[in-house]
Amino acid sequence: MDHPELLTALIAFVVIATITPGGATTLAVASGAQHGFRRSITLIAGMAGGLCSLGAGSAIGLGTAIHTFPQIQMIMQGLGSAYLLWLAWMIARSGPPSATASERPSIGVAGGLLLLWLNPKAWTVVLAATAAFANLTASATSLAIIMGLAFGVAGAISLSVWCIGGLLLSRLLRTERQWHAVNGLLAIALVLSIVPLWL
């Protein structure tokens, strides 16, 4: 590593970027509330894996392809927004977790990966980090490993924290009306997370 002092700055950046509210954190809260932490692990693993692969991919040049062909970003933005709107609709329609609902798995690994890969906000954050910390090492392979691990580990921890928050929130909800209100607020938060992508 050519500039070890940059590693601390990268870790701080990645932690802040992954812990701040957004579409992924909102889904982690909703999954924790509806399914509990254990059944949300697949979603968290998928989203963390998505962050890991984005971090590694941006360091080995996938970001260049997106900048070279802006239509790729527009397609991703449209698909990602549609996917998030569908998830928001599903959250808004759900009430309190029933016995059968709590036994169903959360969104799986593939769904978590898809969410991150189609999320232009995630791409923007990862590409910004790669550009800012490109001097961390002279080797593209080493940079890909560092970026992938940094985003993957920080994402897993941050999303787990949000998921546990959702689980704790679910223990405060006593009536069906409270559940519908909270699910509605989570759905609105998810929709609002799409708005900055189009501004």
Side-chain angles (χ1 to χ4, degrees), residues 127-175:
L127 291 174
T130 303
F133 298 101
N135 291 331
L136 194 61
T137 177
S139 165
T141 302
S142 296
L143 184 62
I145 292 169
I146 292 168
M147 297 298 292
L149 284 174
F151 274 100
V153 172
I157 293 170
S158 299
L159 292 166
S160 294
V161 169
W162 281 98
C163 183
I164 291 169
L167 174 61
L168 296 175
L169 175 64
S170 72
R171 295 179 179 172
L172 300 175
L173 305 178
R174 299 285 180 237
T175 67

Side-chain angles (χ1 to χ4, degrees), residues 16 19 26-27 34 54 84 89 100 110 120 122 153 160 190:
I16 291 168
I19 199 76
T26 302
L27 282 179
Q34 282 288 327
L54 285 181
L84 288 172
W89 172 250
T100 55
V153 172
S160 294
L190 195 55

